[in-house]
């Protein structure tokens, strides 16, 4: 579950746990790939631009 609803002083608040991680991965994508998948990272041409498609499956 990525979002949790809280009620505080009569207001409904949502905790967003996904956005900070998505932002970190976008900023440090090459470093994250190298850390988690070093063999795959070595095959990628990092000079070519890339695009994040994180909203493609949302309705």
């Amino acid at each position: 579950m990525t979002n949790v609803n809280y009620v505080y002083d009569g207001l409904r608040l949502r905790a967003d746990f996904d956005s900070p991680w998505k932002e970190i991965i976008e900023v440090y994508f090459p470093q994250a790939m190298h850390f988690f998948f070093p063999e795959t990272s070595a095959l990628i041409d990092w000079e070519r631009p890339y695009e994040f498609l994180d909203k493609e499956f949302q309705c």
Side-chain angles (χ1 to χ4, degrees), residues 21-56:
W21 286 108
K22 288 179 182 178
E23 290 174 22
I24 290 170
I25 293 297
E26 284 187 23
V27 171
Y28 297 105
F29 182 64
Q31 294 90 340
M33 286 295 294
H34 182 68
F35 182 79
F36 291 110
F37 308 103
E39 294 164 353
T40 303
S41 177
L43 300 173
I44 296 172
D45 179 6
W46 293 106
E47 298 297 319
R48 294 187 63 183
Y50 47 88
E51 178 182 355
F52 291 95
L53 303 175
D54 63 327
K55 305 277 190 248
E56 294 301 308

Side-chain angles (χ1 to χ4, degrees), residues 8-28:
Y8 175 75
D9 204 18
L11 299 173
R12 183 171 297 276
L13 306 173
R14 288 180 44 186
D16 181 13
F17 298 108
D18 279 352
S19 293
W21 286 108
K22 288 179 182 178
E23 290 174 22
I24 290 170
I25 293 297
E26 284 187 23
V27 171
Y28 297 105

